[in-house]
């Protein structure tokens, strides 16, 4: 041991106290506005089904149709991998996990659509469809056939359809309450939001419903669908989407990009309306920055190219969807929309390949960080958080197994939770 250093200071303790007092409001603001990731599972996709076609067998039907498409157009691991360009060493693991997923849990998030996918109907018809949706969702959660997340997309808050959207929301939520209560996986999606005031209005609607049923304030959250240019850039030049998150008063759970409405809004020709268009990249980048740290998650949109028809046509659509999904994952858009059962094989193939090809490197980096072992990459706490989040997302969707992650990292699920988000709870892990 060397000579012990003498420690000297120049400032009185009152200086630190004064500075802390001056930042008290800022500290509270940071904690309120930027609480971090909620630490819950995020589905890899959202499936949209029109309100008049949704049945108790929809989820299983989607899985069966996806399996049939695999059997018909890529009956084994090698052929499936060849179509999508999956590395040989991952062909069998990805294929086997995709099939198992389609058999066990083909849909992670389902939205019963009363907006564009449903269209204008006589009031009595939509009333009945909304009540039926509530009954079927409640029954699905009761008998174990539900997707982890389910809910509705109502019509928007624009004047022409506002009353109809409010009524459908009321009927659906009231039906759930009468059938036993709101399920934990309930999700509501508010479409075509242009002004923050529309978000405020929806908050008022949910507050009124909670009060009517004696529910805790804030029990009902919702996703905000970004489908207009005005939701990205307001007339005064501000990022309207950031103001929308604020207007939601803590109820916003997600920002969902609407590929085709947004593309049309900014004048993109139909042939070029896609998730990788520069206009889409800009919108999603603004959404991502606005949502960062708030606990609000960002979802990519969909492709309208369906994998139907002869095999060569299905393969082309699969390659497009697989490539768009991989591109989104690399840009940290971990969720997207799927509009057809034939999209499920490539959704899960892209997601599983993304997590399995990076498993060993991510696990090794996190293990080295925890052990303070150094290596060829010097990771910081923020990166350790991202590495843990990567592994947790892979586990949650079925791409990775808890056991193999524990073997490679030496960490439990609780350890990963603690690294990824303080809101997840779990064990306290000592970090460098």
């Amino acid at each position: 041991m060397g000579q012990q250093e003498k420690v000297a200071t120049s400032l009185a303790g009152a200086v630190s106290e004064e500075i802390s007092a001056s930042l008290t409001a800022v500290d509270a603001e940071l904690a309120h506005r930027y609480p971090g990731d909620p630490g819950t599972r995020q589905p890899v996709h959202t499936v949209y089904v029109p309100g008049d076609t949704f049945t108790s067998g929809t989820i299983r039907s989607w899985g069966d149709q996806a399996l049939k498409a695999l059997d018909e157009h890529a009956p084994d691991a090698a052929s499936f991998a060849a179509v999508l360009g999956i590395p040989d060493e991952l062909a069998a693991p990805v294929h086997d996990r995709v099939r198992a997923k389609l058999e066990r849990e083909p849909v992670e998030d389902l939205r019963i659509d009363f907006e564009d996918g449903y269209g204008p109907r006589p009031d009595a018809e939509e009333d009945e469809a909304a009540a039926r949706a509530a009954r079927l969702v409640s029954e699905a959660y009761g008998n174990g056939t539900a997707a982890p997340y389910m809910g509705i997309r109502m019509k928007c808050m624009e004047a022409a359809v506002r009353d109809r959207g409010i009524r459908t929301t009321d009927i659906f939520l009231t039906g759930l309450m009468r059938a036993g209560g709101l399920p934990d996986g309930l999700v509501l999606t508010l479409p075509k939001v242009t002004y923050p005031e529309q978000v405020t209005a929806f908050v008022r609607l949910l507050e009124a419903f909670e009060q009517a049923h004696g529910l805790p304030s804030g029990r009902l959250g919702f996703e905000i669908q970004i489908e207009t240019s005005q939701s990205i850039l307001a007339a005064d030049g501000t990022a309207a989407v950031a103001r929308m998150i604020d207007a939601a008063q803590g109820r916003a759970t997600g920002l969902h990009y609407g590929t085709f409405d947004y593309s049309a809004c900014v004048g993109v020709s139909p042939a070029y309306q896609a998730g990788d268009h520069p206009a889409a990249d800009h919108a999603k980048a603004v959404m991502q920055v606005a949502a960062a740290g708030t606990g609000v998650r960002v979802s990519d949109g969909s492709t309208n190219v369906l994998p139907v028809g002869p095999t060569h046509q299905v393969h082309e659509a699969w390659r497009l969807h697989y490539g768009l999904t991989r591109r989104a994952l690399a840009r940290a858009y971990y969720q997207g929309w799927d509009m057809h059962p034939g999209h499920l094989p490539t959704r899960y193939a892209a997601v599983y390949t993304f997590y399995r090809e990076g498993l060993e490197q991510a696990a090794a980096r996190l293990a080295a960080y925890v052990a303070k072992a150094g290596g060829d990459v010097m990771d910081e706490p923020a990166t350790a958080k991202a590495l843990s989040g990567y592994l947790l997302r892979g586990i949650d969707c079925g791409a990775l197994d808890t056991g193999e992650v524990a073997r490679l990292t030496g960490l439990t699920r609780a350890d990963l939770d603690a690294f990824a988000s303080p809101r997840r709870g779990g064990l306290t892990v000592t970090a460098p």
Side-chain angles (χ1 to χ4, degrees):
M1 295 291 293
Q3 182 178 356
Q4 186 173 1
E5 295 289 341
K6 294 181 179 180
V7 177
T9 63
S10 301
L11 301 177
V15 175
S16 179
E17 293 173 4
E18 180 184 347
I19 291 173
S20 293
S22 72
L23 292 174
T24 298
V26 171
D27 294 338
E29 182 84 354
L30 282 171
H32 172 69
R33 290 186 181 275
Y34 303 104
D37 188 83
T40 55
R41 175 182 178 181
Q42 181 181 10
V44 302
H45 69 172
T46 301
V47 162
Y48 279 77
V49 179
D52 58 333
T53 63
F54 175 69
T55 71
S56 60
T58 292
I59 293 175
R60 185 62 264 155
S61 174
W62 272 58
D64 291 342
Q65 290 179 68
L67 286 166
K68 182 180 179 181
L70 268 180
D71 290 338
E72 182 176 352
H73 302 293
D76 53 47
S79 59
F80 192 47
V83 171
L84 303 178
I86 297 172
D88 291 344
E89 65 273 15
L90 291 179
V94 168
H95 176 266
D96 293 348
R97 286 175 184 268
V98 168
R99 288 198 66 93
K101 180 73 168 181
L102 295 175
E103 291 167 356
R104 181 186 75 254
E105 188 185 72
V107 174
E108 292 196 358
D109 183 25
L110 185 141
R111 206 69 71 251
I112 305 167
D113 192 13
F114 288 95
E115 203 233 357
D116 284 350
Y118 184 76
R121 306 288 179 97
D123 282 338
E125 183 178 342
E126 184 161 342
D127 283 354
E128 184 177 359
R132 179 171 164 273
R135 175 177 59 82
L136 292 175
V137 168
S138 182
E139 289 175 356
Y141 277 106
N143 62 29
T145 61
Y149 300 94
M150 295 181 74
I152 64 168
R153 176 171 71 167
M154 67 291 297
K155 290 177 172 64
C156 69
M157 281 290 166
E158 293 178 357
V161 294
R162 182 184 304 135
D163 289 344
R164 182 64 258 179
I166 291 172
R167 182 171 175 82
T168 296
T169 303
D170 186 10
I171 292 171
F172 178 71
L173 294 177
T174 300
L176 290 177
M177 292 299 296
R178 290 185 173 180
L182 305 179
D184 290 339
L186 175 65
V187 186
L188 304 174
T189 303
L190 180 64
K192 291 183 176 60
V193 181
T194 304
Y195 283 81
E197 289 81 2
Q198 294 168 327
V199 173
T200 300
F202 197 64
V203 169
R204 289 176 184 155
L205 169 63
L206 300 183
E207 286 176 340
F209 188 88
E210 290 167 349
Q211 292 168 5
H213 289 272
L215 295 170
S217 178
R219 169 63 182 86
L220 289 165
F222 60 98
E223 301 165 336
I224 301 170
Q225 203 162 355
I226 304 301
E227 300 177 89
T228 67
S229 62
Q230 295 89 350
S231 60
I232 296 298
L233 187 68
D236 62 1
T238 61
V241 65
R243 293 166 55 204
M244 290 174 185
I245 293 174
D246 186 54
Q249 300 177 32
R251 294 177 185 265
T253 59
L255 300 175
H256 284 228
Y257 177 68
T259 304
F260 303 102
D261 280 282
Y262 188 91
S263 297
C265 179
V266 297
V268 178
S269 298
Y272 299 97
Q273 292 178 359
D276 57 355
H277 190 280
D281 284 340
H282 171 260
K284 287 180 285 188
V286 175
M287 292 162 59
Q288 188 175 52
V289 172
T294 65
V296 178
R297 287 152 166 179
V298 175
S299 173
D300 199 1
S302 63
T303 175
N304 60 358
V305 179
L306 304 184
V308 296
T311 295
H312 73 87
Q313 189 170 313
V314 171
H315 286 181
E316 288 179 3
W318 272 356
R319 281 189 286 268
L320 173 65
H321 185 241
Y322 179 87
L324 289 172
T325 303
R326 287 300 309 267
R327 185 180 188 273
L329 290 167
R331 286 157 175 75
Y333 309 133
Y334 298 113
Q335 185 175 353
W337 299 6
D338 288 327
M339 310 303 289
H340 188 274
H343 285 141
L344 299 185
T346 39
R347 170 67 61 182
Y348 291 121
V351 171
Y352 289 1
T353 303
F354 175 76
Y355 289 111
R356 293 209 66 80
E357 70 184 6
L359 168 61
E360 292 191 2
Q361 183 186 54
R365 288 176 63 178
L366 186 57
Y369 175 85
V370 173
K372 304 180 183 180
D376 58 353
V377 178
M378 182 179 292
D379 286 322
E380 297 191 6
T383 304
K385 177 180 178 180
L387 290 167
S388 297
Y390 173 88
L391 296 172
L392 286 167
R393 290 178 187 278
I395 291 171
D396 286 343
C397 71
L400 310 177
D401 297 326
T402 303
E404 66 180 334
V405 173
R407 176 176 55 82
L408 292 169
T409 62
L411 301 174
T412 67
R413 170 71 191 237
D415 295 333
L416 295 174
D417 283 339
F419 266 126
S421 171
R423 296 170 71 184
R424 287 180 182 263
L427 301 179
T428 300
V429 181
T430 302

